[in-house]
Amino acid sequence: MDMPTESEVLSGAEIVIRSLIAEDVEYVFGYPGGTVLFIYDALFKQDKVKHILVRHEQAAAHAADGYARATGKPGVVLVTSGPGATNSVTGIATAYMDSIPLVIISGQVPTTLIGNDAFQEVDFVGITRPCVKHNFLVNDVKKLAATLKKAFHIATTGRPGPVVVDIPKDITAQMATFDYPQTVEMRSYKPVVNGHPGQIRRAAELILSAKKPVIYSGGGVVLGNASEELTEFTKMLGYPITQTLMGLGSYPATDQQFIGMLGMHGTYEANMAMHECDVLVAVGARFDDRVTGDVKKFCPDAKIIHIDIDPASISKNVQIDIPIVGSVDKVLRELTRAVKETLQKPDAEALAAWWKQIEEWRAIHCLYYDKGSDLIKPQYVIEKLWEVTDGASGDAFITSDVGQHQMWAAQYYKFVKPRRWINSGGLGTMGFGLPSAMGVQLAHPGATVACVTGEASFQMCLQELSTCKQFDLPIKILCLNNRYMGMVRQWQEMFYDKRYSHSYMDALPDFVKLVESYGHVGMRIDKPADVEGAMREAFKMKDKLVFLDFITDQAENVYPMIAAGRGQHEMMLSPNKEEESI
């Protein structure tokens, strides 16, 4: 479908597709229904925008989300009204919590029926208002193209996020002249991208005065494509750096200055360094509760610098001393320049003493686990995954579902590049792993894509095995199968006197037979000695989806752990650690 001439008259549905072409949209993830059939008809008549038919609308949002995280481009979702729209809400909320750019095009009943409780009518604008960056209800076909332009602009600028465009069916049938704006100007929406020079100078002075500094980076570094700037800044100073779950990969985990992930299941050295630091440089992080623990105990002696694109994040959870609002890449470049231009240098003696203390904490080996067990340890599976996928190269993409397996993947897979770690951080959405892997694999057809999941999470969206078959997506699925909702069981063991109320996954399917029924390859592994061989065999099958069902130790817990209401310095370490390593 060629771009129209300036005076070409198109239907609303054709305007939707032409707008997507103008935005260089490669894939639309969707599921058809009555109110979007005109749009699907327009899709059928062209070949520039490819449609990926999912088997559930939640998966459409997750797949578009995975595509967006892996590429930095906005993901696009197309769903019908009513249940089609409401099924996508979990995926929209997932993207919203993690600041992922999505444009969700939803069908709506005709304008004459809105408010009449018509068949498959829901107030989708009202439903999604709390979990989108913005949403639109289009009531005039002449405004459709401009509205879509605004949607893409809002979704991808400032702090990214999902935007809903709700389009009544009659609007998609009406005719209008197609005129897609080249630019968009919105008086009420002008994100700040350049940091304040005075605040940057103040931050540089404070950073150089530090005796016990820590750099704390989050998902905003990944979303802001600021990995190079962060690495240069960190290397220049020689300071320790820790990262959030969402920030992993924006600084290489194999580097000695990286002290591990922080937070509820972060490393001992990262959390202790945070607790005792005197200057904290927060870059693209939002001080969420899984990081801070009890905010009253958070970084009690630290002066805090916070760099973020979103002014609403500043001092939202923790009081900030020097806020800098702006794009993290630009601010880091200016901050690096400001540090270089000053005559002052970091206190070498104090920094050496600080590193000595950090190395003592690191020597505790908080990620210790029993490698001599006859049972498969989930941590061992992740370590082997890093080896088999050549983790040091940073080329493989790892998606995960939510639970213990997610934390083990974050702890034991050393991410060295950004946009390789794809997981639901803020909302913690079970079922995210497989559909997000589909989006990643479509974005990078020749790449190695592995999904780390659990038997409970996998069953949330297992119908997408059908989508994987239809579109020949050779994803490798590693199921850490402990026959429990693992994280629920862990909490019940620790805080509910081992009352395992409904956390046991009874009546599990035979996953090997299940995936084979979809036309894929299944393997069941129950001995530690077979883990690496099975994994290498699976990854050699470049053109097949392979499901590896690892039967793991049911009693294994994720450590370290900060219990609810505790501070970062009040971590629980594994009771199975060797005495000499504590």
Side-chain angles (χ1 to χ4, degrees):
M1 183 183 285
D2 297 325
M3 292 301 292
T5 60
E6 196 170 311
S7 61
E8 188 171 359
V9 176
L10 303 174
S11 70
E14 291 170 328
I15 288 172
V16 170
I17 303 307
R18 292 290 181 88
S19 299
L20 298 182
I21 293 171
E23 291 290 340
D24 293 323
V25 171
E26 186 178 12
Y27 292 107
V28 171
F29 301 88
Y31 201 96
T35 60
V36 288
L37 286 183
F38 284 122
I39 298 176
Y40 270 89
D41 196 45
L43 266 172
F44 184 84
K45 297 173 182 176
Q46 57 82 56
D47 58 7
K48 290 188 177 180
V49 178
K50 304 176 187 69
H51 181 271
I52 304 300
L53 176 66
V54 295
R55 287 358 184 217
H56 191 284
E57 291 88 354
Q58 178 180 339
H62 289 332
D65 182 323
Y67 176 89
R69 292 182 201 236
T71 63
K73 302 174 184 177
V76 180
V77 178
L78 176 58
V79 294
T80 193
S81 64
T86 57
N87 279 348
S88 70
V89 171
T90 297
I92 294 171
T94 300
Y96 178 71
M97 289 290 283
D98 290 345
S99 305
I100 306 303
L102 297 186
V103 173
I104 302 93
I105 299 169
S106 56
Q108 184 54 272
V109 300
T111 53
T112 54
L113 295 179
I114 291 176
N116 289 356
D117 293 332
F119 178 66
Q120 292 192 333
E121 179 191 3
V122 296
D123 177 8
F124 197 46
V125 166
I127 287 171
T128 58
R129 189 169 286 122
C131 61
V132 295
K133 189 175 178 183
H134 195 67
N135 55 23
F136 299 91
L137 174 62
V138 181
N139 54 21
D140 184 346
V141 69
K142 292 190 289 293
K143 297 178 180 179
L144 181 54
T147 300
L148 287 164
K149 180 67 178 182
K150 288 178 182 178
F152 278 94
H153 176 68
I154 293 169
T156 56
T157 55
R159 180 178 180 175
V163 177
V164 164
V165 182
D166 202 32
I167 310 175
K169 185 172 184 177
D170 56 324
I171 299 297
T172 63
Q174 292 170 10
M175 308 298 288
T177 301
F178 180 71
D179 182 16
Y180 197 72
Q182 296 300 308
T183 59
V184 60
E185 185 73 19
M186 302 175 68
R187 188 174 61 181
S188 59
Y189 178 70
K190 294 183 182 294
V192 175
V193 294
N194 296 312
H196 190 280
Q199 294 294 82
I200 290 173
R201 285 194 298 271
R202 286 182 61 209
E205 292 169 4
L206 180 58
I207 288 167
L208 289 169
S209 72
K211 307 294 185 186
K212 299 179 178 180
V214 170
I215 299 168
Y216 150 50
S217 70
V221 177
V222 178
L223 297 170
N225 299 313
S227 179
E228 290 185 11
E229 289 82 358
L230 176 69
T231 302
E232 181 186 355
F233 177 72
T234 304
K235 285 293 186 183
M236 172 188 68
L237 292 167
Y239 290 176
I241 180 170
T242 180
Q243 295 184 315
T244 67
L245 179 71
M246 298 305 302
L248 295 177
S250 55
Y251 185 89
T254 51
D255 187 82
Q256 191 67 13
Q257 283 177 243
F258 179 63
I259 56 175
M261 181 178 72
L262 80 163
M264 178 174 280
H265 295 294
T267 65
Y268 186 75
E269 53 268 31
N271 284 325
M272 289 302 296
M274 288 286 287
H275 183 72
E276 296 198 11
C277 73
D278 65 347
V279 173
L280 179 64
V281 185
V283 187
R286 58 188 181 89
F287 296 89
D288 69 287
D289 57 297
R290 286 287 170 113
V291 160
T292 63
D294 183 354
V295 292
K296 295 176 182 177
K297 302 175 183 178
F298 179 74
C299 295
D301 302 318
K303 294 289 186 181
I304 302 177
I305 300 162
H306 188 190
I307 302 167
D308 205 286
I309 190 70
D310 181 13
S313 292
I314 304 292
S315 294
K316 180 178 181 180
N317 298 324
V318 173
Q319 189 62 41
I320 303 303
D321 297 285
I322 302 179
I324 306 174
V325 176
S327 176
V328 288
D329 58 339
K330 292 188 176 184
V331 172
L332 281 173
R333 283 196 292 271
E334 291 301 316
L335 187 55
T336 299
R337 185 178 296 114
V339 169
K340 287 179 177 179
E341 288 175 353
T342 183
L343 297 177
Q344 189 178 352
K345 300 295 181 184
D347 186 329
E349 186 176 345
L351 187 59
W354 181 227
W355 270 114
K356 183 174 183 294
Q357 173 63 80
I358 289 172
E359 293 304 330
E360 289 176 5
W361 289 326
R362 182 138 54 184
I364 286 175
H365 302 300
C366 66
L367 296 181
Y368 166 86
Y369 67 93
D370 179 12
K371 297 188 178 183
S373 173
D374 292 334
L375 301 173
I376 295 177
K377 294 292 185 177
Q379 302 97 320
Y380 178 71
V381 176
I382 302 301
E383 287 182 328
K384 286 301 174 185
L385 175 64
W386 192 79
E387 292 178 18
V388 170
T389 58
D390 189 18
S393 72
D395 292 333
F397 293 84
I398 309 298
T399 77
S400 86
D401 273 293
V402 170
Q404 288 180 315
H405 59 273
Q406 176 190 28
M407 294 300 108
W408 284 315
Q411 290 175 332
Y412 291 91
Y413 198 100
K414 304 180 191 72
F415 293 95
V416 297
K417 292 181 182 178
R419 299 194 182 278
R420 280 4 184 230
W421 169 232
I422 314 292
N423 81 117
S424 168
L427 197 65
T429 307
M430 294 172 68
F432 176 83
L434 177 58
S436 65
M438 299 187 322
V440 174
Q441 191 75 81
L442 285 160
H444 301 282
T448 295
V449 179
C451 168
V452 178
T453 188
E455 75 289 344
S457 283
F458 180 69
Q459 292 185 90
M460 292 281 185
C461 282
L462 64 80
Q463 76 283 339
E464 297 311 311
L465 289 170
S466 179
T467 304
C468 292
K469 183 63 178 177
Q470 179 176 346
F471 295 96
D472 297 318
L473 303 179
I475 298 161
K476 306 302 180 279
I477 304 169
L478 289 78
C479 181
L480 304 184
N481 185 348
N482 62 6
R483 289 80 72 207
Y484 272 105
M485 297 179 206
M487 193 61 83
V488 172
R489 183 205 57 76
Q490 178 168 333
W491 279 60
Q492 288 172 335
E493 175 187 324
M494 293 177 171
F495 310 119
Y496 297 89
D497 294 326
K498 299 184 179 181
R499 293 186 295 273
Y500 301 122
S501 177
H502 297 282
S503 57
Y504 182 69
M505 293 299 291
D506 205 359
L508 285 173
D510 181 329
F511 286 111
V512 172
K513 290 181 180 178
L514 176 68
V515 299
E516 286 177 347
S517 73
Y518 279 94
H520 304 302
V521 177
M523 300 181 183
R524 188 176 190 271
I525 305 97
D526 56 14
K527 294 183 179 64
D530 297 334
V531 169
E532 182 175 350
M535 210 179 287
R536 291 194 181 279
E537 182 183 350
F539 280 94
K540 284 179 182 176
M541 301 183 203
K542 301 293 187 182
D543 60 345
K544 294 183 182 298
L545 182 148
V546 183
F547 185 101
L548 297 105
D549 189 17
F550 293 102
I551 309 304
T552 61
D553 186 349
Q554 288 187 289
E556 197 68 19
N557 289 330
V558 180
Y559 290 104
M561 180 176 180
I562 302 173
R566 298 297 182 93
Q568 288 182 309
H569 62 302
E570 298 173 304
M571 280 164 285
M572 301 164 61
L573 300 181
S574 171
N576 300 320
K577 278 178 57 60
E578 297 169 323
E579 287 297 323
E580 61 268 23
S581 68
I582 297 178

